[in-house]
Amino acid sequence: MTQPPVFKRAPRPEGKGEAAAPSGTSRLNKRMAELRMCSRREADAWIEQGWVFVNGQVASMGQQVSLSDRITVDKAAELQQERQVTILLHKPMGYVSGQAEDGHQPAITLINPRSHWMGDPSKMRFTPPHLRNLAPAGRLDIDSTGLLVLTQDGRVARQLIGEDSEMEKEYLVRVAYTGHENTAAASAASATYGGKATQLSSIEDNDRVTSNVQAVFPKAQLERLRHGLSLDGKPLKPAKVEWQNPEQLRFVLTEGKKRQIRRMCEQVGLKVVGLKRIRMGGVQLGQMPAGTWRYLGPNESF
């Protein structure tokens, strides 16, 4: 089976490429992405097609442009973009976000007519071209559930995972309290995240508290979750963290490091036993059942 493409955060240039550009200019594809006309990848495809014009002249691949240059595109590019779809999936446990790994299927295999949510307000009908170049904009771990966005639209991907994105992502996180704050065991467990993903922990007899965790969890540690932790040697951005109920926290993050919430919780003596993403920007998961999907509606935006 052909593996689906994956949108990834564009790396920041280091010593090459942009540094060699004339002062005050940038590559055309980068400028088009900054103007939110399309993604860099789409820009390159359009330039190859002869659909991009700079000051009325057909653009060339790798062309440098200044802020004052006028960039326009052919109607064919606009029509192609209008046909692109964005899909919202309620990912269940056991599926990986991107390419298949360790025998687990990618979430895109759930996108078919049978699993299309009957409550989809967009009223769009599924057609096979909607799967072409459909890729996850971000990831949701194999043992996490909730909202996963898959899109053909590079503008949406840039909004969600671009290098300058600060899109809010909201999670409900069920926890148990181990009391092992900053222990060697927590540090060792955190180090394993550089390799293959590990499964969610189950509640065990030696966990100090598995019910009404809120009553015993130190308020100072809650403040550390909000601001004061580091991962991979770098301070984390401030997060919104509140108790949703005595066993469940609500996290709102504006960054997405690998298995970030689990690793944050380990540093303050919590163990994550359930994690669900319920919102990305202005788009809610809502009542859509696990394993079903719907289209992003024309009146919705992140």
PDB file of all heavy atoms in Angstrom, residues 260-287:
ATOM      1  N   GLN A 260       4.795  15.111  24.723  1.00  0.00           N
ATOM      2  CA  GLN A 260       5.069  16.207  25.649  1.00  0.00           C
ATOM      3  C   GLN A 260       4.295  16.094  26.954  1.00  0.00           C
ATOM      4  O   GLN A 260       4.860  16.256  28.037  1.00  0.00           O
ATOM      5  CB  GLN A 260       4.745  17.550  24.976  1.00  0.00           C
ATOM      6  CG  GLN A 260       4.984  18.754  25.881  1.00  0.00           C
ATOM      7  CD  GLN A 260       4.805  20.073  25.162  1.00  0.00           C
ATOM      8  OE1 GLN A 260       4.912  20.134  23.946  1.00  0.00           O
ATOM      9  NE2 GLN A 260       4.526  21.133  25.901  1.00  0.00           N
ATOM     10  N   ILE A 261       3.007  15.837  26.890  1.00  0.00           N
ATOM     11  CA  ILE A 261       2.197  15.824  28.114  1.00  0.00           C
ATOM     12  C   ILE A 261       2.634  14.694  29.038  1.00  0.00           C
ATOM     13  O   ILE A 261       2.740  14.887  30.255  1.00  0.00           O
ATOM     14  CB  ILE A 261       0.701  15.724  27.769  1.00  0.00           C
ATOM     15  CG1 ILE A 261       0.242  17.026  27.099  1.00  0.00           C
ATOM     16  CG2 ILE A 261      -0.128  15.442  29.017  1.00  0.00           C
ATOM     17  CD1 ILE A 261      -1.201  17.016  26.632  1.00  0.00           C
ATOM     18  N   ARG A 262       2.893  13.523  28.502  1.00  0.00           N
ATOM     19  CA  ARG A 262       3.340  12.409  29.347  1.00  0.00           C
ATOM     20  C   ARG A 262       4.644  12.748  30.045  1.00  0.00           C
ATOM     21  O   ARG A 262       4.839  12.475  31.229  1.00  0.00           O
ATOM     22  CB  ARG A 262       3.494  11.148  28.495  1.00  0.00           C
ATOM     23  CG  ARG A 262       2.170  10.602  27.972  1.00  0.00           C
ATOM     24  CD  ARG A 262       2.444   9.531  26.909  1.00  0.00           C
ATOM     25  NE  ARG A 262       1.208   8.927  26.442  1.00  0.00           N
ATOM     26  CZ  ARG A 262       0.371   9.480  25.575  1.00  0.00           C
ATOM     27  NH1 ARG A 262       0.637  10.682  25.089  1.00  0.00           N
ATOM     28  NH2 ARG A 262      -0.725   8.864  25.193  1.00  0.00           N
ATOM     29  N   ARG A 263       5.558  13.347  29.299  1.00  0.00           N
ATOM     30  CA  ARG A 263       6.865  13.664  29.863  1.00  0.00           C
ATOM     31  C   ARG A 263       6.765  14.785  30.897  1.00  0.00           C
ATOM     32  O   ARG A 263       7.488  14.783  31.904  1.00  0.00           O
ATOM     33  CB  ARG A 263       7.821  14.019  28.730  1.00  0.00           C
ATOM     34  CG  ARG A 263       8.061  12.852  27.779  1.00  0.00           C
ATOM     35  CD  ARG A 263       8.715  13.299  26.475  1.00  0.00           C
ATOM     36  NE  ARG A 263      10.088  13.731  26.673  1.00  0.00           N
ATOM     37  CZ  ARG A 263      10.819  14.341  25.744  1.00  0.00           C
ATOM     38  NH1 ARG A 263      10.274  14.624  24.568  1.00  0.00           N
ATOM     39  NH2 ARG A 263      12.051  14.688  25.992  1.00  0.00           N
ATOM     40  N   MET A 264       5.889  15.755  30.663  1.00  0.00           N
ATOM     41  CA  MET A 264       5.660  16.812  31.650  1.00  0.00           C
ATOM     42  C   MET A 264       5.117  16.214  32.943  1.00  0.00           C
ATOM     43  O   MET A 264       5.576  16.549  34.047  1.00  0.00           O
ATOM     44  CB  MET A 264       4.664  17.838  31.100  1.00  0.00           C
ATOM     45  CG  MET A 264       5.187  18.702  29.967  1.00  0.00           C
ATOM     46  SD  MET A 264       3.879  19.736  29.227  1.00  0.00           S
ATOM     47  CE  MET A 264       3.516  20.864  30.600  1.00  0.00           C
ATOM     48  N   CYS A 265       4.137  15.330  32.797  1.00  0.00           N
ATOM     49  CA  CYS A 265       3.511  14.742  33.982  1.00  0.00           C
ATOM     50  C   CYS A 265       4.504  13.919  34.794  1.00  0.00           C
ATOM     51  O   CYS A 265       4.489  13.957  36.034  1.00  0.00           O
ATOM     52  CB  CYS A 265       2.315  13.887  33.562  1.00  0.00           C
ATOM     53  SG  CYS A 265       0.867  14.860  33.054  1.00  0.00           S
ATOM     54  N   GLU A 266       5.376  13.176  34.123  1.00  0.00           N
ATOM     55  CA  GLU A 266       6.361  12.371  34.843  1.00  0.00           C
ATOM     56  C   GLU A 266       7.241  13.233  35.747  1.00  0.00           C
ATOM     57  O   GLU A 266       7.629  12.801  36.837  1.00  0.00           O
ATOM     58  CB  GLU A 266       7.250  11.630  33.840  1.00  0.00           C
ATOM     59  CG  GLU A 266       6.583  10.412  33.223  1.00  0.00           C
ATOM     60  CD  GLU A 266       7.469   9.764  32.183  1.00  0.00           C
ATOM     61  OE1 GLU A 266       8.488  10.371  31.804  1.00  0.00           O
ATOM     62  OE2 GLU A 266       7.122   8.661  31.740  1.00  0.00           O
ATOM     63  N   GLN A 267       7.537  14.445  35.298  1.00  0.00           N
ATOM     64  CA  GLN A 267       8.428  15.309  36.072  1.00  0.00           C
ATOM     65  C   GLN A 267       7.796  15.814  37.369  1.00  0.00           C
ATOM     66  O   GLN A 267       8.507  16.298  38.255  1.00  0.00           O
ATOM     67  CB  GLN A 267       8.878  16.496  35.218  1.00  0.00           C
ATOM     68  CG  GLN A 267       9.797  16.112  34.065  1.00  0.00           C
ATOM     69  CD  GLN A 267      10.401  17.330  33.387  1.00  0.00           C
ATOM     70  OE1 GLN A 267      10.765  18.315  34.032  1.00  0.00           O
ATOM     71  NE2 GLN A 267      10.520  17.281  32.072  1.00  0.00           N
ATOM     72  N   VAL A 268       6.484  15.714  37.473  1.00  0.00           N
ATOM     73  CA  VAL A 268       5.809  16.181  38.690  1.00  0.00           C
ATOM     74  C   VAL A 268       5.107  15.040  39.423  1.00  0.00           C
ATOM     75  O   VAL A 268       4.237  15.272  40.265  1.00  0.00           O
ATOM     76  CB  VAL A 268       4.814  17.317  38.377  1.00  0.00           C
ATOM     77  CG1 VAL A 268       5.555  18.531  37.848  1.00  0.00           C
ATOM     78  CG2 VAL A 268       3.738  16.860  37.401  1.00  0.00           C
ATOM     79  N   GLY A 269       5.474  13.795  39.115  1.00  0.00           N
ATOM     80  CA  GLY A 269       4.944  12.667  39.860  1.00  0.00           C
ATOM     81  C   GLY A 269       3.597  12.152  39.398  1.00  0.00           C
ATOM     82  O   GLY A 269       2.934  11.417  40.140  1.00  0.00           O
ATOM     83  N   LEU A 270       3.182  12.514  38.192  1.00  0.00           N
ATOM     84  CA  LEU A 270       1.917  12.012  37.642  1.00  0.00           C
ATOM     85  C   LEU A 270       2.192  10.985  36.559  1.00  0.00           C
ATOM     86  O   LEU A 270       3.204  11.052  35.853  1.00  0.00           O
ATOM     87  CB  LEU A 270       1.087  13.159  37.058  1.00  0.00           C
ATOM     88  CG  LEU A 270       0.564  14.203  38.033  1.00  0.00           C
ATOM     89  CD1 LEU A 270      -0.105  15.347  37.273  1.00  0.00           C
ATOM     90  CD2 LEU A 270      -0.404  13.581  39.034  1.00  0.00           C
ATOM     91  N   LYS A 271       1.272  10.050  36.409  1.00  0.00           N
ATOM     92  CA  LYS A 271       1.355   9.055  35.347  1.00  0.00           C
ATOM     93  C   LYS A 271       0.094   9.150  34.503  1.00  0.00           C
ATOM     94  O   LYS A 271      -1.019   9.095  35.017  1.00  0.00           O
ATOM     95  CB  LYS A 271       1.477   7.645  35.948  1.00  0.00           C
ATOM     96  CG  LYS A 271       1.627   6.561  34.902  1.00  0.00           C
ATOM     97  CD  LYS A 271       2.043   5.242  35.524  1.00  0.00           C
ATOM     98  CE  LYS A 271       0.957   4.630  36.378  1.00  0.00           C
ATOM     99  NZ  LYS A 271       1.323   3.309  36.892  1.00  0.00           N
ATOM    100  N   VAL A 272       0.277   9.351  33.203  1.00  0.00           N
ATOM    101  CA  VAL A 272      -0.861   9.495  32.291  1.00  0.00           C
ATOM    102  C   VAL A 272      -1.441   8.116  31.978  1.00  0.00           C
ATOM    103  O   VAL A 272      -0.723   7.220  31.525  1.00  0.00           O
ATOM    104  CB  VAL A 272      -0.437  10.198  30.992  1.00  0.00           C
ATOM    105  CG1 VAL A 272      -1.582  10.215  29.985  1.00  0.00           C
ATOM    106  CG2 VAL A 272       0.024  11.620  31.286  1.00  0.00           C
ATOM    107  N   VAL A 273      -2.735   7.960  32.214  1.00  0.00           N
ATOM    108  CA  VAL A 273      -3.400   6.684  31.913  1.00  0.00           C
ATOM    109  C   VAL A 273      -4.498   6.853  30.863  1.00  0.00           C
ATOM    110  O   VAL A 273      -5.177   5.890  30.509  1.00  0.00           O
ATOM    111  CB  VAL A 273      -3.975   6.046  33.200  1.00  0.00           C
ATOM    112  CG1 VAL A 273      -2.847   5.640  34.125  1.00  0.00           C
ATOM    113  CG2 VAL A 273      -4.933   6.993  33.919  1.00  0.00           C
ATOM    114  N   GLY A 274      -4.670   8.056  30.345  1.00  0.00           N
ATOM    115  CA  GLY A 274      -5.623   8.297  29.269  1.00  0.00           C
ATOM    116  C   GLY A 274      -5.436   9.700  28.734  1.00  0.00           C
ATOM    117  O   GLY A 274      -5.235  10.641  29.512  1.00  0.00           O
ATOM    118  N   LEU A 275      -5.451   9.850  27.403  1.00  0.00           N
ATOM    119  CA  LEU A 275      -5.221  11.164  26.806  1.00  0.00           C
ATOM    120  C   LEU A 275      -6.083  11.319  25.561  1.00  0.00           C
ATOM    121  O   LEU A 275      -6.082  10.454  24.689  1.00  0.00           O
ATOM    122  CB  LEU A 275      -3.742  11.343  26.462  1.00  0.00           C
ATOM    123  CG  LEU A 275      -3.276  12.746  26.060  1.00  0.00           C
ATOM    124  CD1 LEU A 275      -1.795  12.948  26.421  1.00  0.00           C
ATOM    125  CD2 LEU A 275      -3.481  13.019  24.574  1.00  0.00           C
ATOM    126  N   LYS A 276      -6.816  12.433  25.491  1.00  0.00           N
ATOM    127  CA  LYS A 276      -7.731  12.689  24.378  1.00  0.00           C
ATOM    128  C   LYS A 276      -7.615  14.145  23.947  1.00  0.00           C
ATOM    129  O   LYS A 276      -7.746  15.052  24.775  1.00  0.00           O
ATOM    130  CB  LYS A 276      -9.178  12.383  24.800  1.00  0.00           C
ATOM    131  CG  LYS A 276     -10.225  12.579  23.715  1.00  0.00           C
ATOM    132  CD  LYS A 276     -11.601  12.218  24.271  1.00  0.00           C
ATOM    133  CE  LYS A 276     -12.686  12.296  23.221  1.00  0.00           C
ATOM    134  NZ  LYS A 276     -14.011  11.929  23.799  1.00  0.00           N
ATOM    135  N   ARG A 277      -7.375  14.375  22.654  1.00  0.00           N
ATOM    136  CA  ARG A 277      -7.347  15.743  22.140  1.00  0.00           C
ATOM    137  C   ARG A 277      -8.757  16.143  21.713  1.00  0.00           C
ATOM    138  O   ARG A 277      -9.392  15.429  20.934  1.00  0.00           O
ATOM    139  CB  ARG A 277      -6.386  15.877  20.957  1.00  0.00           C
ATOM    140  CG  ARG A 277      -6.267  17.319  20.462  1.00  0.00           C
ATOM    141  CD  ARG A 277      -4.975  17.547  19.708  1.00  0.00           C
ATOM    142  NE  ARG A 277      -4.878  16.767  18.489  1.00  0.00           N
ATOM    143  CZ  ARG A 277      -3.740  16.448  17.883  1.00  0.00           C
ATOM    144  NH1 ARG A 277      -2.591  16.840  18.404  1.00  0.00           N
ATOM    145  NH2 ARG A 277      -3.739  15.745  16.776  1.00  0.00           N
ATOM    146  N   ILE A 278      -9.225  17.286  22.206  1.00  0.00           N
ATOM    147  CA  ILE A 278     -10.608  17.681  21.952  1.00  0.00           C
ATOM    148  C   ILE A 278     -10.734  18.972  21.146  1.00  0.00           C
ATOM    149  O   ILE A 278     -11.836  19.319  20.717  1.00  0.00           O
ATOM    150  CB  ILE A 278     -11.397  17.829  23.269  1.00  0.00           C
ATOM    151  CG1 ILE A 278     -10.776  18.917  24.166  1.00  0.00           C
ATOM    152  CG2 ILE A 278     -11.467  16.493  24.005  1.00  0.00           C
ATOM    153  CD1 ILE A 278     -11.629  19.267  25.371  1.00  0.00           C
ATOM    154  N   ARG A 279      -9.625  19.665  20.916  1.00  0.00           N
ATOM    155  CA  ARG A 279      -9.720  20.924  20.167  1.00  0.00           C
ATOM    156  C   ARG A 279      -8.384  21.266  19.549  1.00  0.00           C
ATOM    157  O   ARG A 279      -7.332  21.024  20.138  1.00  0.00           O
ATOM    158  CB  ARG A 279     -10.153  22.065  21.098  1.00  0.00           C
ATOM    159  CG  ARG A 279     -10.245  23.430  20.433  1.00  0.00           C
ATOM    160  CD  ARG A 279     -10.796  24.486  21.381  1.00  0.00           C
ATOM    161  NE  ARG A 279      -9.928  24.765  22.519  1.00  0.00           N
ATOM    162  CZ  ARG A 279      -8.927  25.664  22.510  1.00  0.00           C
ATOM    163  NH1 ARG A 279      -8.682  26.356  21.402  1.00  0.00           N
ATOM    164  NH2 ARG A 279      -8.211  25.870  23.600  1.00  0.00           N
ATOM    165  N   MET A 280      -8.426  21.842  18.334  1.00  0.00           N
ATOM    166  CA  MET A 280      -7.257  22.432  17.699  1.00  0.00           C
ATOM    167  C   MET A 280      -7.687  23.805  17.188  1.00  0.00           C
ATOM    168  O   MET A 280      -8.541  23.905  16.297  1.00  0.00           O
ATOM    169  CB  MET A 280      -6.735  21.561  16.557  1.00  0.00           C
ATOM    170  CG  MET A 280      -6.246  20.199  17.028  1.00  0.00           C
ATOM    171  SD  MET A 280      -5.605  19.141  15.705  1.00  0.00           S
ATOM    172  CE  MET A 280      -4.041  19.946  15.341  1.00  0.00           C
ATOM    173  N   GLY A 281      -7.143  24.855  17.777  1.00  0.00           N
ATOM    174  CA  GLY A 281      -7.561  26.200  17.415  1.00  0.00           C
ATOM    175  C   GLY A 281      -9.040  26.392  17.689  1.00  0.00           C
ATOM    176  O   GLY A 281      -9.520  26.138  18.785  1.00  0.00           O
ATOM    177  N   GLY A 282      -9.781  26.819  16.661  1.00  0.00           N
ATOM    178  CA  GLY A 282     -11.210  27.047  16.817  1.00  0.00           C
ATOM    179  C   GLY A 282     -12.071  25.867  16.449  1.00  0.00           C
ATOM    180  O   GLY A 282     -13.300  25.998  16.392  1.00  0.00           O
ATOM    181  N   VAL A 283     -11.470  24.695  16.222  1.00  0.00           N
ATOM    182  CA  VAL A 283     -12.226  23.516  15.779  1.00  0.00           C
ATOM    183  C   VAL A 283     -12.298  22.490  16.904  1.00  0.00           C
ATOM    184  O   VAL A 283     -11.267  22.050  17.423  1.00  0.00           O
ATOM    185  CB  VAL A 283     -11.594  22.897  14.519  1.00  0.00           C
ATOM    186  CG1 VAL A 283     -12.312  21.622  14.124  1.00  0.00           C
ATOM    187  CG2 VAL A 283     -11.629  23.897  13.365  1.00  0.00           C
ATOM    188  N   GLN A 284     -13.515  22.107  17.263  1.00  0.00           N
ATOM    189  CA  GLN A 284     -13.762  21.151  18.347  1.00  0.00           C
ATOM    190  C   GLN A 284     -13.994  19.742  17.797  1.00  0.00           C
ATOM    191  O   GLN A 284     -14.532  19.569  16.701  1.00  0.00           O
ATOM    192  CB  GLN A 284     -15.011  21.571  19.128  1.00  0.00           C
ATOM    193  CG  GLN A 284     -14.960  22.958  19.735  1.00  0.00           C
ATOM    194  CD  GLN A 284     -14.313  22.979  21.107  1.00  0.00           C
ATOM    195  OE1 GLN A 284     -14.017  21.933  21.682  1.00  0.00           O
ATOM    196  NE2 GLN A 284     -14.125  24.166  21.641  1.00  0.00           N
ATOM    197  N   LEU A 285     -13.615  18.734  18.580  1.00  0.00           N
ATOM    198  CA  LEU A 285     -13.949  17.351  18.242  1.00  0.00           C
ATOM    199  C   LEU A 285     -15.452  17.138  18.300  1.00  0.00           C
ATOM    200  O   LEU A 285     -16.040  16.462  17.452  1.00  0.00           O
ATOM    201  CB  LEU A 285     -13.239  16.398  19.202  1.00  0.00           C
ATOM    202  CG  LEU A 285     -13.543  14.910  19.034  1.00  0.00           C
ATOM    203  CD1 LEU A 285     -13.039  14.408  17.679  1.00  0.00           C
ATOM    204  CD2 LEU A 285     -12.901  14.105  20.163  1.00  0.00           C
ATOM    205  N   GLY A 286     -16.092  17.699  19.303  1.00  0.00           N
ATOM    206  CA  GLY A 286     -17.541  17.611  19.435  1.00  0.00           C
ATOM    207  C   GLY A 286     -18.024  16.196  19.718  1.00  0.00           C
ATOM    208  O   GLY A 286     -17.359  15.416  20.401  1.00  0.00           O
ATOM    209  N   GLN A 287     -19.169  15.850  19.159  1.00  0.00           N
ATOM    210  CA  GLN A 287     -19.827  14.578  19.454  1.00  0.00           C
ATOM    211  C   GLN A 287     -19.477  13.464  18.476  1.00  0.00           C
ATOM    212  O   GLN A 287     -20.081  12.393  18.516  1.00  0.00           O
ATOM    213  CB  GLN A 287     -21.346  14.784  19.445  1.00  0.00           C
ATOM    214  CG  GLN A 287     -21.840  15.802  20.461  1.00  0.00           C
ATOM    215  CD  GLN A 287     -21.454  15.423  21.877  1.00  0.00           C
ATOM    216  OE1 GLN A 287     -21.675  14.285  22.305  1.00  0.00           O
ATOM    217  NE2 GLN A 287     -20.881  16.376  22.614  1.00  0.00           N
TER     218      GLN A 287
END
